[in-house]
Amino acid sequence: MAPSADISQKEDNGLSAPKPAPGLFTIESIPDKGKGVIAAQDITPGTLLISEPPLLTTAVITSIPTTEADLARALKASSKGIQRAFLSLHNNYVGQGTPLTNIIRSNGYPLGASSDVGGVFELTSRINHSCQPNAYHGWNPLLEEHTVYAIRQISAGEEITLAYHYGGPSEYRKEILKERFGFDCTCSICTLPPSEQKASDDRHVLAQTLDAQIGDAKTVRFNPTKVLQHCKALMRIYEEEDFKDDRLARLCYDVFQVCNMHSDRARAAYWAKKYCDAKKRTGGKDSVAFLEMKPFVKKPERHDCFGVTSDWKSDLKEIPKERSGEVWEKWLWRE
Ligand SMILES: C[S@@+](CC[C@H](N)C(=O)[O-])C[C@H]1O[C@@H](n2cnc3c(N)ncnc32)[C@H](O)[C@@H]1O
């Protein structure tokens, strides 16, 4: 079940889509989880695991009442291989009629964060959930493929996981996962000993509060020092909880914006680079997010958010050479 190793060329935008190395994983039955994806070798963070087009998308649906018939028509027009792969996918709603719709409901991912079109995938749709996942996935509109990247070191024999739902304390996450996906989460951070569970839950709750405060436009404009303190506190939580998913990239972007708004080119450039590194790890260097942000690593002042005030004016030359220790930390967070 491993993907092939060739390089495919997208004719319309000229982008070369690197394909995952062969033999990275196998699809296997896992007790109490149905099928799942198991690493067949040690995998390093940033490794492309999967890049694949959808088997079928909801774009074929013309109206709600005709959903099942529309899917049946589209499936019939597909190759035998696609039909087999689609029909073998997990169905969470067995016996509830509309089997094709139910397969979509059980396995679908949106084709882009704000897209109302969903797709099901031969490999990605086999990946089970963990609240502390070791992989990250997303739709790449430039490649017209769904990609999955390793975001942590994964050992041979370890299950490859994605997060179906993020945030909040364990009880809340479990409730959502049960309701939407029909399983009881037994991931590493939902089965901690009680005192560690409480500490982890408290961090998740605080993370949500800080995230909301960081997004407050008025504070960003008039009290950016406070926003940076919140960003620093949130970064500490992400480190303690070992979050490696897109929340980290978003936080880097938030710090970039705060610094850039107040003309701090040095720190803005640093955080633009951190954002690019995080996006490269979760979506590759051919992801839209990485490509769009890359120019601002060298020229943050070209970004729309630059220079609302010149209160923190700085130059790229001011980034310290030594990037660890107390002096660096104080510089980084403007303390
Ligand atoms: C997209 S499918 C994942 C692949 C699926 N296990 C299969 O057999 O093809 C989603 C379903 O897998 C199962 N699942 C996913 N993560 C799980 C987990 N951590 N524990 C138990 N079941 C899980 C649930 O039934 C869920 O609705």
Side-chain angles (χ1 to χ4, degrees):
M1 269 305 232
S4 70
D6 62 339
I7 302 282
S8 80
Q9 195 84 27
K10 271 262 159 228
E11 280 174 13
D12 46 355
N13 59 26
L15 262 189
S16 283
K19 286 287 165 194
L24 290 172
F25 56 79
T26 54
I27 310 281
E28 293 178 21
S29 292
I30 301 181
D32 302 322
K33 291 187 180 178
K35 289 199 186 311
V37 180
I38 305 292
Q41 52 185 262
D42 293 346
I43 296 170
T44 51
T47 301
L48 175 65
L49 299 172
I50 297 170
S51 185
E52 61 179 346
L55 294 169
L56 204 64
T57 79
T58 57
V60 301
I61 299 169
T62 54
S63 73
I64 302 284
T66 62
T67 298
E68 191 71 4
D70 290 338
L71 291 172
R73 200 174 312 108
L75 198 59
K76 202 164 165 219
S78 306
S79 71
K80 286 272 174 284
I82 287 183
Q83 290 176 18
R84 251 195 315 274
F86 179 87
L87 293 170
S88 76
L89 288 176
H90 174 72
N91 180 354
N92 241 343
Y93 310 91
V94 177
Q96 293 185 27
T98 61
L100 305 181
T101 310
N102 292 343
I103 288 179
I104 297 269
R105 285 172 68 202
S106 306
N107 298 281
Y109 287 113
L111 305 190
S114 54
S115 173
D116 50 11
V117 176
V120 293
F121 301 89
E122 182 173 11
L123 302 171
T124 312
S125 294
R126 290 297 185 191
I127 304 180
N128 290 317
H129 164 91
S130 165
C131 298
Q132 198 171 46
N134 53 24
Y136 189 84
H137 68 112
W139 176 248
N140 184 325
L142 301 176
L143 308 175
E144 290 176 22
E145 296 208 347
H146 201 79
T147 61
V148 180
Y149 279 84
I151 54 173
R152 300 172 194 282
Q153 183 68 32
I154 304 174
S155 304
E158 199 181 320
E159 185 175 5
I160 294 172
T161 53
L162 295 171
Y164 296 178
H165 173 80
Y166 281 115
S170 170
E171 281 312 312
Y172 174 75
R173 296 195 304 269
K174 281 181 176 166
E175 218 177 286
I176 302 258
L177 291 165
K178 183 73 173 176
E179 191 185 300
R180 295 196 194 153
F181 306 100
F183 68 90
D184 296 306
C185 190
T186 54
C187 79
S188 54
I189 59 166
C190 282
T191 51
L192 289 167
S195 65
E196 286 176 48
Q197 185 73 76
K198 171 148 188 351
S200 167
D201 284 347
D202 289 348
R203 282 193 288 268
H204 276 80
V205 172
L206 181 57
Q208 284 184 322
T209 309
L210 287 167
D211 190 48
Q213 286 169 340
I214 288 165
D216 181 59
K218 225 170 161 181
T219 322
V220 172
R221 168 69 178 81
F222 296 106
N223 196 352
T225 302
K226 189 167 173 194
V227 178
L228 272 198
Q229 284 165 1
H230 289 154
C231 290
K232 182 184 176 186
L234 191 53
M235 190 61 85
R236 292 289 163 269
I237 293 177
Y238 287 0
E239 282 162 8
E240 279 165 9
E241 284 292 311
D242 201 20
F243 288 167
K244 293 278 191 285
D245 53 70
D246 223 36
R247 283 172 290 190
L248 187 59
R250 223 181 61 213
L251 178 56
C252 295
Y253 189 81
D254 286 340
V255 192
F256 161 79
Q257 270 200 311
V258 180
C259 296
N260 217 28
M261 258 183 90
H262 298 283
S263 306
D264 186 347
R265 293 174 66 232
R267 289 172 189 80
Y270 174 83
W271 286 107
K273 170 78 168 64
K274 294 297 273 183
Y275 173 86
C276 283
D277 291 347
K279 280 291 182 186
K280 192 160 65 177
R281 200 168 43 239
T282 58
K285 50 183 197 293
D286 42 23
S287 63
V288 174
F290 175 85
L291 292 169
E292 281 184 353
M293 192 67 167
K294 207 171 150 217
F296 305 120
V297 174
K298 290 221 166 96
K299 297 195 180 299
E301 67 278 7
R302 293 211 174 154
H303 194 278
D304 283 350
C305 71
F306 180 77
V308 174
T309 80
S310 49
D311 294 351
W312 289 354
K313 202 168 171 198
S314 76
D315 192 79
L316 260 57
K317 290 198 289 283
E318 293 174 34
I319 304 177
K321 296 267 178 299
E322 176 61 51
R323 302 217 178 145
S324 62
E326 213 178 309
V327 175
W328 164 251
E329 281 290 307
K330 282 195 179 312
W331 179 85
L332 194 57
W333 300 106
R334 302 190 61 92
E335 288 171 343

